[in-house]
Amino acid sequence: MATTTSGVYIHVIEDVVSKVREEFINNGGPGESVLSELQGIWETKMMQAGVLSGPIDRSLVQRPTPGGGPLTHDLNVPYEGTEEYETPTAEMLFPPTPLQTPLPGTADNSSLYNIPTGSSDYNTPGTENGSNADTESMLFIAATAFSMDKLNPRLDVNVAYEPERGNSNPQFTQDLFVPPSGKRKRDDSSAQYQNGGYIPQQDGARDAMPKANLDGNAFCITFVSDRKVPRDFTCSSSNIPQVDGPMPDAYDEMLSTPNIYSYQGPAEDFNDARTPAPNEIQTSTPVAVQNDIIEDDDDDELDDLESGEDMNTQHLVLAQFDKVTRTKSRWKCNLKNGIMHINDKDILFNKALGEFDF
Amino acid sequence: MDTEACRNDFIARSYVMATFELYRRSTIGMCLTETLDEMVQSGTLSPELAIQVLVQFDKSMTEALESQVKTKVTIKGHLHTYRFCDNVWTFILQDAMFKSEDRQENVSQVKIVACDSKLLTQ
């Protein structure tokens, strides 16, 4: 019998899956594989939420990788070198995991220390690096640990490496990225990349720090990051399609918006000048978007409480009640079979006694 | 006559065999809901089947809480808001203290949602 929260959850998952299995298999249902996928994703999400502890063997095998492949961290390393994957340093730095360990067979023939010096190596479009990138990146980090001088000065780690496997997890990338001590000759190698055309880069929110500034009538948000991103990407105001809500009245806007709207220009200028990356829109335009929706500033205290309540972030108790009584301002309740989510923890209870003062 | 009465009774009972959906708002419930939503969006799963899974989750969760969990908790705090609607109590507590056998948690604000346990047992 499971006694820990995690154990109970596992039991529930198993129970649900086994009871719906019949529906999945019979009557033209989607099949056992879909059921397994459902279970896998469910368990993964729960592990990510931190409520399921410990690896469950079968789910480790089935767990889908967010990057959609072995590439979990691309460190913008274009060189191929994997054969000598036996340096203890590399292993110490990045112990091989099922997701990350490269297979020797997948590597190209150049070795770790045979760092290519020819420009042709950098002109390879990312295709060859498909399964090698993680190896290369790990080895690259190992190499940097030894000495920067040994590295090819043309090696530019700041240029984006084309992610061919869909969205490689940017957060993962960020954690493992070790920038070289000097941003050496960035222009040199970046030129090589730009010769081949613009390399699309999809970064997460952590890659770039938004810097907002007010330039006269224009409100400009630029993203400053270590990566070299072509200037036109950050500064173009007309290439990024943007759909905004109904144009607010300038008067209403001044009344109801916070200080961020301290400029004098009309609303159109604001919209034109704003150039966030598409995935940054939430962080940079919340006020403008919500401006039209939230019209009443004088919320009740209760409304504040309710509007601030988000199911996932606030402390919540879900239970059944047996009895709720009140004597004057003293409330008592008997609860049972509850799930509590408080202080980022999940606690289950069979019985609870509540005493509240109103 | 008797059989008809029995049949009517059976039909009536079928309609009230509902589940407590409130556990879907828990972490495990939300994870399941998100998973099912993704799979329905991608067309892997039909919406009807997704609902069946959720209903089964309601039952399994309720049953697990009844039989697998033995913890007892006391809750104390200042009642800021109370509401009773559709047989559901909602309390908002402030400066609440949750004490169980081995630990204690304090929160500045917590929402308690409780359904009538008698609704399930017919």
Side-chain angles (χ1 to χ4, degrees):
Chain A
M1 165 146 336
T3 50
T4 64
T5 302
S6 184
V8 175
Y9 284 163
I10 294 173
H11 172 88
V12 169
I13 296 176
E14 302 271 355
D15 193 39
V16 170
V17 167
S18 64
K19 294 214 166 107
V20 299
R21 177 165 279 122
E22 202 179 313
E23 292 296 327
F24 273 72
I25 296 180
N26 301 339
N27 302 329
E32 177 74 32
S33 61
V34 173
L35 181 61
S36 304
E37 184 186 344
L38 167 68
Q39 182 172 3
I41 300 176
W42 189 8
E43 285 169 353
T44 304
K45 284 187 190 285
M46 290 187 60
M47 281 192 231
Q48 287 169 354
V51 294
L52 210 55
S53 63
I56 309 169
D57 286 346
R58 47 184 168 71
S59 74
L60 258 190
V61 171
Q62 291 176 2
R63 182 167 69 156
T65 56
L71 180 69
T72 55
H73 52 283
D74 54 279
L75 299 176
N76 312 320
V77 175
Y79 77 84
E80 316 102 15
T82 55
E83 207 162 1
E84 291 185 2
Y85 182 59
E86 45 203 16
T87 54
T89 311
E91 287 179 8
M92 274 162 36
L93 285 177
F94 293 95
T97 70
L99 294 177
Q100 294 175 2
T101 305
L103 301 177
T106 62
D108 279 344
N109 289 332
S110 42
S111 67
L112 162 64
Y113 297 111
N114 181 20
I115 296 169
T117 56
S119 62
S120 59
D121 294 305
Y122 292 104
N123 280 340
T124 58
T127 50
E128 291 178 24
N129 297 333
S131 57
N132 299 338
D134 48 348
T135 318
E136 298 153 4
S137 51
M138 284 193 283
L139 297 174
F140 172 69
I141 289 179
T144 59
F146 286 98
S147 163
M148 295 303 179
D149 297 335
K150 290 194 173 62
L151 292 178
N152 190 316
R154 292 166 127 185
L155 181 64
D156 177 35
V157 298
N158 295 319
V159 179
Y161 168 81
E162 176 171 343
E164 285 201 337
R165 292 135 295 281
N167 286 333
S168 59
N169 194 341
Q171 308 252 343
F172 222 92
T173 306
Q174 195 70 16
D175 291 338
L176 297 173
F177 175 64
V178 177
S181 61
K183 298 184 168 78
R184 65 180 75 85
K185 297 192 183 168
R186 193 187 304 167
D187 295 336
D188 204 15
S189 46
S190 68
Q192 295 174 8
Y193 274 95
Q194 292 194 357
N195 280 342
Y198 170 64
I199 293 183
Q201 173 176 341
Q202 287 186 2
D203 293 319
R206 287 180 61 188
D207 281 343
M209 303 297 227
K211 233 184 352 182
N213 44 31
L214 202 52
D215 246 352
N217 283 351
F219 183 79
C220 187
I221 296 176
T222 55
F223 290 87
V224 179
S225 70
D226 285 340
R227 300 184 184 225
K228 177 169 173 74
V229 181
R231 278 299 138 209
D232 56 303
F233 179 77
T234 54
C235 291
S236 83
S237 59
S238 55
N239 293 344
I240 299 176
Q242 176 172 334
V243 177
D244 294 318
M247 216 62 79
D249 231 2
Y251 181 68
D252 286 344
E253 199 172 58
M254 277 168 51
L255 278 189
S256 56
T257 56
N259 295 335
I260 204 172
Y261 286 43
S262 57
Y263 69 103
Q264 298 300 324
E268 286 83 356
D269 282 348
F270 185 93
N271 289 327
D272 285 342
R274 174 178 306 154
T275 59
N279 57 355
E280 293 295 326
I281 280 183
Q282 297 113 354
T283 57
S284 57
T285 63
V287 180
V289 173
Q290 292 177 4
N291 193 19
D292 301 319
I293 302 168
I294 301 178
E295 307 243 321
D296 46 338
D297 286 333
D298 45 345
D299 291 334
D300 291 340
E301 195 180 322
L302 182 59
D303 283 348
D304 269 346
L305 287 177
E306 293 199 338
S307 64
E309 290 167 0
D310 181 74
M311 298 298 189
N312 293 330
T313 59
Q314 73 147 27
H315 312 291
L316 185 66
V317 175
L318 304 164
Q320 304 170 28
F321 69 87
D322 282 331
K323 184 158 53 170
V324 175
T325 58
R326 175 191 71 87
T327 306
K328 294 214 171 141
S329 67
R330 191 152 179 86
W331 289 70
K332 290 194 179 161
C333 61
N334 293 349
L335 304 177
K336 67 180 208 182
N337 300 346
I339 303 179
M340 303 197 291
H341 181 78
I342 49 181
N343 291 335
D344 275 331
K345 292 188 264 277
D346 268 28
I347 304 172
L348 311 179
F349 65 82
N350 180 243
K351 272 198 169 346
L353 282 171
E355 290 178 12
F356 320 135
D357 287 305
F358 182 66
Chain B
M1 190 78 81
D2 275 351
T3 53
E4 189 172 1
C6 284
R7 190 180 63 189
N8 289 342
D9 185 52
F10 173 77
I11 293 171
R13 284 178 183 274
S14 316
Y15 279 120
V16 299
M17 288 264 282
T19 55
F20 277 149
E21 298 186 9
L22 87 162
Y23 296 122
R24 298 183 195 182
R25 294 157 67 172
S26 64
T27 313
I28 178 175
M30 294 299 296
C31 290
L32 176 60
T33 307
E34 286 170 15
T35 307
L36 291 171
D37 279 349
E38 286 171 13
M39 293 177 76
V40 169
Q41 287 284 332
S42 67
T44 318
L45 202 60
S46 70
E48 296 83 20
L49 195 49
I51 293 181
Q52 280 186 291
V53 175
L54 280 172
V55 169
Q56 181 56 53
F57 166 76
D58 295 336
K59 292 180 190 165
S60 296
M61 191 74 231
T62 305
E63 194 267 336
L65 286 172
E66 180 76 48
S67 61
Q68 305 249 320
V69 181
K70 294 285 173 267
T71 320
K72 213 161 141 9
V73 168
T74 53
I75 313 172
K76 285 192 182 8
H78 164 66
L79 184 62
H80 179 275
T81 314
Y82 60 87
R83 177 191 299 139
F84 184 63
C85 182
D86 292 334
N87 288 308
V88 177
W89 274 105
T90 304
F91 302 111
I92 296 182
L93 296 192
Q94 288 179 336
D95 300 323
M97 188 224 5
F98 294 81
K99 197 187 288 193
S100 68
E101 298 117 15
D102 49 354
R103 65 173 152 183
Q104 178 174 321
E105 301 282 345
N106 293 298
V107 292
S108 59
Q109 183 168 294
V110 62
K111 183 185 201 183
I112 301 179
V113 180
C115 297
D116 193 347
S117 62
K118 296 182 199 51
L119 286 184
L120 270 193
T121 57
Q122 294 296 324

